[in-house]
């Protein structure tokens, strides 16, 4: 790969070569993050209703086995992300950020429709779980480049001293999705009887996601290309992109480590949370209310902590937040597991919402600054996708297994602490790459 300082320097001038300051409105941010929000909304709905999806598509006499099959299907969608990061990411680096985002949205839409509209196992037999698995794989394939494509687009339109603030809205759109999914879940419980939700009601939020797909295409159809890509006189070939990724494997590994805590914490406080609160027997409706305010908490903290991240040393902030997460994870979950209450669950949810917002706001900007422009989408997306596939996607299944095997909900804290440790090591390794590169590029 090119020198990291060069990569960061090129990223530092996302507007015209005349040296004028960029004036980026709200519109392009909304256009680019809206599709990402839809992607995450569907992921959340699948996680929220994993128990009902398990009964519909993966019936078993053993409820634990049925749930694990549903969660593993959820995880397999994440396994397709690295492939999508390379394939669609390379397409994006060759043909433009806008075209790549529209392609990702198209594939994502097909996956969402497949999961929402597939008949039950009782109706079509083994075809049902196979179609759902294929839908999840297609969604994962598109998400591999969608998330990275959104971040890269935001980074390339952002003024250099506001890069963390701009890129934080990728995670911000996810929180709006969390809130929307939580609200939909709460309203379902209010309007429908539990048996109706279990039988067919869980499909309603998925259908709502399908209904807004045309709006997503309308928003992205008028999305402007970034000036960073538009200024390129030559775009890299697929072979050159792959060569850059292989040559820059150290940067990719570093990025994977940086992404570990963000993806695992996000999956824990969102996708796994309904299953977790159900296992604690605290009530589904209370869980959806807490998840709504957890998403709102992240949405409020993200721009605040991103503003801080744009003013302080990236590495220092990453180290501080990972240490804070690692030290508090197990004690907080032990406290909750000892005597579960709705109030305790809310405290834990809000605490790790703050941790996630604080970390994600700086981690996304720090990682995108490491990747050179010729392979920026594929490089960033691949690092994020592998971390999501290996750690984040399997988090609900891992946590379900840990609590079942050790008969303790406190094991959730162990998994959070382990991944905080992985990201701490990555943050410590940023000394020469991240900090030096940003200083050389004038990105103090």
């Amino acid at each position: 790969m090119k020198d990291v300082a060069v990569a960061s320097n090129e990223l530092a001038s996302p507007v015209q070569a005349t040296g004028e300051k960029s004036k980026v409105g709200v519109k392009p941010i909304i256009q680019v993050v809206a599709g990402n929000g839809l992607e995450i909304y569907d992921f959340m709905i699948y996680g929220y209703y994993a128990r009902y999806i398990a009964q519909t598509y993966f019936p078993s006499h053993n409820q634990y086995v049925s749930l694990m099959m549903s969660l593993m299907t959820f995880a397999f969608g994440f396994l397709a992300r690295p492939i999508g990061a390379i394939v669609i990411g390379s397409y994006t680096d060759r043909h433009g950020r806008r075209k790549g985002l529209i392609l990702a949205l198209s594939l994502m839409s097909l996956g969402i429709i497949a999961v929402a509209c597939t008949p039950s196992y009782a109706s079509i037999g083994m075809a049902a779980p196979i179609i759902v698995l294929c839908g999840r794989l297609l969604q994962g394939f598109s998400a591999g480049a969608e998330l990275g494509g959104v971040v890269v687009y935001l980074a390339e339109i952002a003024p250099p001293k506001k890069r963390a603030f701009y890129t934080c809205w990728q995670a911000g759109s996810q929180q709006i999705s969390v809130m929307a999914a939580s609200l939909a879940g709460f309203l379902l419980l209010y309007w429908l009887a539990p048996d109706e939700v279990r039988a067919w009601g869980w499909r309603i939020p998925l259908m709502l996601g399908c209904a807004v797909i045309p709006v997503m295409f309308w928003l992205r159809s008028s999305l402007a290309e970034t000036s960073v890509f538009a200024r390129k006189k030559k775009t890299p070939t697929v072979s050159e992109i792959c060569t850059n990724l292989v040559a820059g494997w150290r940067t990719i590994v570093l990025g994977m480590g940086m992404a570990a805590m963000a993806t695992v914490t996000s999956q824990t406080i969102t996708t796994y949370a309904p299953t977790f609160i159900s296992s604690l027997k605290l009530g589904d409706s209370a869980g959806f209310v807490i998840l709504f305010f957890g998403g709102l908490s992240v949405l409020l903290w993200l721009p605040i902590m991103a503003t801080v991240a744009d003013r302080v040393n990236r590495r220092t902030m990453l180290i501080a937040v990972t240490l804070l997460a690692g030290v508090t994870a197990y004690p907080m979950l032990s406290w909750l597991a000892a005597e579960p209450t709705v109030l305790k669950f809310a405290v834990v949810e809000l605490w790790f919402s703050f941790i996630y917002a604080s970390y994600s706001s700086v981690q996304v900007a720090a990682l995108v600054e490491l990747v050179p422009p010729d392979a920026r989408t594929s490089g960033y997306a691949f690092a994020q996708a592998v971390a999501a596939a290996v750690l984040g996607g399997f988090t609900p299944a891992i946590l379900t297994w840990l609590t079942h095997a050790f008969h303790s909900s406190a094991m959730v804290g162990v998994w959070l602490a382990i991944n905080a440790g992985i990201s701490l090591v990555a943050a410590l390794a940023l000394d020469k790459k991240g900090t030096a590169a940003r200083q050389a590029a004038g990105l103090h």
Side-chain angles (χ1 to χ4, degrees):
M1 278 189 177
K2 294 180 181 178
D3 184 80
V4 174
V6 175
S8 190
N9 208 6
E10 291 191 40
L11 188 59
S13 303
V15 283
Q16 61 270 34
T18 60
E20 296 178 10
K21 292 184 179 180
S22 61
K23 294 181 179 179
V24 182
V26 175
K27 182 181 177 181
I29 298 176
I30 295 175
Q31 286 177 296
V32 74
V33 303
N36 185 217
L38 174 61
E39 179 102 46
I40 300 304
Y41 169 84
D42 190 73
F43 271 77
M44 294 301 102
I45 292 297
Y46 189 101
Y48 290 175
Y49 295 104
R51 290 169 294 156
Y52 303 149
I53 292 173
Q55 296 164 12
T56 303
Y57 297 124
F58 310 96
S60 171
H61 296 298
N62 188 315
Q63 187 176 358
Y64 168 71
V65 172
S66 182
L67 177 60
M68 284 298 292
M69 289 177 66
S70 177
L71 293 177
M72 289 301 291
T73 299
F74 176 83
F76 286 148
F78 281 79
L79 291 179
R81 286 194 179 193
I83 302 172
I86 296 295
V87 176
I88 306 179
S90 297
Y91 175 87
T92 304
D93 285 326
R94 278 181 52 75
H95 299 286
R97 313 310 187 203
R98 175 182 174 275
K99 289 183 177 179
L101 287 167
I102 291 176
L103 175 60
L105 178 61
S106 301
L107 296 175
M108 175 220 311
S109 300
L110 292 176
I112 291 174
I113 293 170
V115 176
C117 300
T118 300
S120 67
Y121 181 92
S123 299
I124 61 173
M126 279 300 298
I130 292 173
I131 294 173
V132 170
L133 177 59
C134 289
R136 293 298 307 163
L137 289 174
L138 192 57
Q139 283 182 273
F141 182 81
S142 64
E146 164 73 18
L147 275 65
V150 169
V151 169
V152 168
Y153 189 95
L154 292 173
E156 290 186 347
I157 67 172
K161 293 183 179 180
K162 293 184 178 180
R163 189 164 297 120
F165 181 80
Y166 272 66
T167 55
C168 85
W169 293 109
Q170 183 263 341
S173 69
Q174 296 181 1
Q175 304 317 307
I176 294 174
S177 300
V178 170
M179 294 165 64
S182 301
L183 182 60
F186 179 81
L187 292 177
L188 276 187
L189 291 176
Y190 180 79
W191 283 329
L192 301 178
D195 288 343
E196 292 176 317
V197 175
R198 185 181 302 108
W200 53 269
W202 60 268
R203 291 183 187 270
I204 294 176
L206 290 175
M207 293 297 183
L208 291 175
C210 294
V212 300
I213 287 175
V215 178
M216 301 299 107
F217 277 103
W218 174 72
L219 285 171
R220 283 199 176 171
S221 64
S222 60
L223 190 66
E225 185 56 78
T226 70
S227 57
V228 171
F229 185 86
R231 285 201 309 269
K232 286 186 177 182
K233 296 180 180 179
K234 178 180 178 296
T235 56
T237 65
V238 174
S239 176
E240 289 172 338
I241 291 171
C242 293
T243 299
N244 280 337
L245 291 176
V246 173
W249 67 269
R250 289 182 178 83
T251 299
I252 299 298
V253 172
L254 182 62
M256 289 162 52
M258 291 169 62
M261 190 177 100
T263 186
V264 167
T265 304
S266 175
Q267 290 300 313
T268 301
I269 65 175
T270 56
T271 308
Y272 178 69
T275 302
F276 189 29
I277 200 167
S278 177
S279 69
L280 296 174
K281 304 187 187 311
L282 298 179
D284 291 342
S285 58
F288 283 124
V289 172
I290 292 171
L291 283 169
F292 179 89
F293 285 102
L296 179 61
S297 172
V298 175
L299 187 61
L300 294 175
W301 281 114
L302 273 171
I304 295 173
M305 300 311 293
T307 302
V308 174
D310 278 324
R311 287 166 170 73
V312 302
N313 181 281
R314 300 257 200 266
R315 179 175 180 267
T316 300
M317 188 168 173
L318 289 170
I319 292 173
V321 178
T322 50
L323 279 173
L324 189 61
V327 169
T328 60
Y330 185 74
M332 289 287 287
L333 270 299
S334 295
W335 172 67
L336 172 62
E339 191 177 341
T341 65
V342 171
L343 178 59
K344 282 186 176 182
F345 189 91
V347 170
V348 171
E349 180 79 6
L350 291 175
W351 172 248
F352 283 101
S353 296
F354 168 74
I355 291 290
Y356 170 72
S358 301
Y359 186 76
S360 180
S361 62
V362 63
Q363 175 260 323
V364 170
L367 177 52
V368 77
E369 288 166 348
L370 294 179
V371 188
D374 284 348
R376 179 163 290 144
T377 302
S378 51
Y380 177 91
F382 185 72
Q384 285 282 130
V386 173
V390 176
L391 300 171
F394 283 91
T395 286
I398 289 171
L399 294 179
T400 300
W401 174 79
L402 283 173
T403 55
H404 179 81
F406 291 90
H407 306 287
S408 173
S409 299
M411 295 304 296
V412 173
V414 173
W415 182 238
L416 287 170
I418 288 172
N419 286 277
I422 293 172
S423 290
L424 174 60
V425 172
L428 292 170
L430 272 176
D431 188 29
K432 293 182 179 180
K433 282 187 176 289
T435 306
R438 292 180 64 254
Q439 290 176 345
L443 301 176
H444 300 283

